[in-house]
């Protein structure tokens, strides 16, 4: 199979590229390295089945050629991370809406299956015990930049399902809940790599707000297994699937766990949201997936515990420790 991965030099995309190469697939990656990193794919470049194209996905001619040559598209190129969204909302909206629009238009031209990688962020700030694919969503006001990410990704999802309904284009939407793992950078604000780097450097771990807010962190290696199940030609077309862990932890407990596992002497420092993200930030207090759908249909469930995943990340950063 020939696989195209947009954003394949990013954290999740590069793991997917590596996995597909291991499975003997021919892999094409298109990435403009805006948030991705060449180092993530460097070890794959000697492989004759691996092809890297340094380009923005808005280059239609290049994207058209790549899509025409592949059997399936994993669309991961996107502006991600709350910090980036708050700092550069124009880029977030344009990359997500225009980029996905073009990917779908071209995939439709060549009738190629597309896996749209979306986000639990689209569920917004509702206080549901867990979120199911068909749940209502509660987003904050348009004046708060954070929600531009959820809205841009929602449009991506609507458009993908519209192509399925109108043109029978095989698309699957994967809503990821806080994916973590080796290679993820803390630079764009993601809490787990930030805490681990802070702990390993002996710096204070910065808990925003009270730390009572909870998340469920899923190992990227588990996410890849879900992608591969949904990539099969007949699997999940025209449907949405939550992909995440159901092991819930507060951010305060996460900080304590990271300190404990790394054996760090770092203190935990509590910061108001305004100090972290600027005025007008809204956080969600809880975000847990209901994964019954993918579990019942495809038998998928996460295999890695949070502690195991944290250890994988710590070992990658600190191989001797
Ligand atoms: N967070 C934190 N300290 C940090 C970075 C993030 O306390 O240095 C908090 C953040 O406010 C949120 C949670 O950790 O409540 C998860 O943040 P992340 O940006 O990783 O993901 P998301 O908010 O998209 O779930």
């Amino acid at each position: 199979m020939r696989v195209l991965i947009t954003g394949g030099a990013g954290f999740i995309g590069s793991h997917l590229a590596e996995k597909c190469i291991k499975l003997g697939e021919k892999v094409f990656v298109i990435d403009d390295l805006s948030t991705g990193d060449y180092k993530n794919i460097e070890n794959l470049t000697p492989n004759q089945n691996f092809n890297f194209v340094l380009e923005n996905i808005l280059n239609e001619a290049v994207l058209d050629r790549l899509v025409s040559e592949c059997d399936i598209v994993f669309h991961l190129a996107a502006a991600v991370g709350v910090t980036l969204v708050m700092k550069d909302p124009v880029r977030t909206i344009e990359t997500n809406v225009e980029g996905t629009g073009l990917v779908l238009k071209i995939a439709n031209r060549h009738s190629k299956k597309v896996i749209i990688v979306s986000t639990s962020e689209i569920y917004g700030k509702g206080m549901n015990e867990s979120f199911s694919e068909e749940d209502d969503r509660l987003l904050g006001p348009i004046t708060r930049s954070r929600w531009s990410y959820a809205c841009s990704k929602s449009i991506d999802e609507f458009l993908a399902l519209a192509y399925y309904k109108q043109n029978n284009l095989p698309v699957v939407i994967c809503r990821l809940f806080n994916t973590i793992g080796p290679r993820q950078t803390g630079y764009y604000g993601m809490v787990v790599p930030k805490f681990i780097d802070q702990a390993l450097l002996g710096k204070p771990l910065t808990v925003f707000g009270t730390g009572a807010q909870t998340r469920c962190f899923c190992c990227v290696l588990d996410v890849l297994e879900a992608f591969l199940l949904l990539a099969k030609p007949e699997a999940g077309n025209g449907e949405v699937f939550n992909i995440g862990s159901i092991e819930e932890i507060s951010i305060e407990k996460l900080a304590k766990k990271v300190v404990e596992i790394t054996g760090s002497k770092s203190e935990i420092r509590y910061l108001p949201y305004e100090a972290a993200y600027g005025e007008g930030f809204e956080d969600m207090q809880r975000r847990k997936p209901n994964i019954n759908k993918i579990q019942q249909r495809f038998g998928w469930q996460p295999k890695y515990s949070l502690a195991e995943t944290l250890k994988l990340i710590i070992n990658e950063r600190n191989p001797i420790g």
Side-chain angles (χ1 to χ4, degrees), residues 108-254:
N108 185 53
R109 192 180 289 157
H110 299 287
S111 302
K112 299 292 168 72
K113 178 159 179 162
V114 189
I115 306 291
I116 295 283
V117 179
S118 187
T119 167
S120 56
E121 183 86 9
I122 67 114
Y123 290 109
K125 56 181 177 174
M127 288 296 288
N128 304 24
E129 193 276 321
S130 67
F131 291 105
S132 298
E133 289 83 350
E134 289 298 309
D135 281 352
D136 288 340
R137 302 175 304 123
L138 178 64
L139 303 184
I142 302 291
T143 44
R144 306 214 165 186
S145 292
R146 179 190 186 131
W147 304 111
S148 66
Y149 181 52
C151 287
S152 64
K153 285 299 215 176
S154 306
I155 280 292
D156 291 354
E157 292 198 13
F158 274 122
L159 191 59
L161 293 184
Y163 270 105
Y164 174 77
K165 283 179 192 147
Q166 264 179 256
N167 300 358
N168 213 17
L169 182 71
V171 296
V172 184
I173 292 165
C174 298
R175 286 189 191 144
L176 307 190
F177 285 68
N178 295 81
T179 306
I180 57 166
R183 282 187 213 144
Q184 187 177 31
T185 167
Y187 186 76
Y188 300 105
M190 279 80 167
V191 69
V192 167
K194 266 185 78 180
F195 280 2
I196 288 176
D197 289 341
Q198 288 166 334
L200 292 177
L201 293 168
K203 292 184 173 167
L205 276 69
T206 51
V207 170
F208 301 157
T210 62
Q213 70 271 33
T214 66
R215 293 293 187 272
C216 301
F217 297 96
C218 188
C219 182
V220 64
L221 303 176
D222 282 322
V223 172
L224 299 187
E225 297 300 328
F227 282 172
L228 295 178
L229 289 168
L230 295 167
K232 294 187 178 141
E234 299 309 322
N237 294 333
E239 294 189 69
V240 181
F241 294 90
N242 283 343
I243 299 174
S245 160
I246 51 173
E247 187 183 341
E248 191 174 12
I249 188 168
S250 74
I251 299 302
E252 182 181 47
K253 282 213 178 105
L254 174 72

Side-chain angles (χ1 to χ4, degrees), residues 71-87:
D71 304 304
I72 184 161
V73 183
F74 288 93
H75 177 43
L76 288 108
V80 287
V82 173
T83 305
L84 181 62
V85 171
M86 292 297 288
K87 255 198 233 152

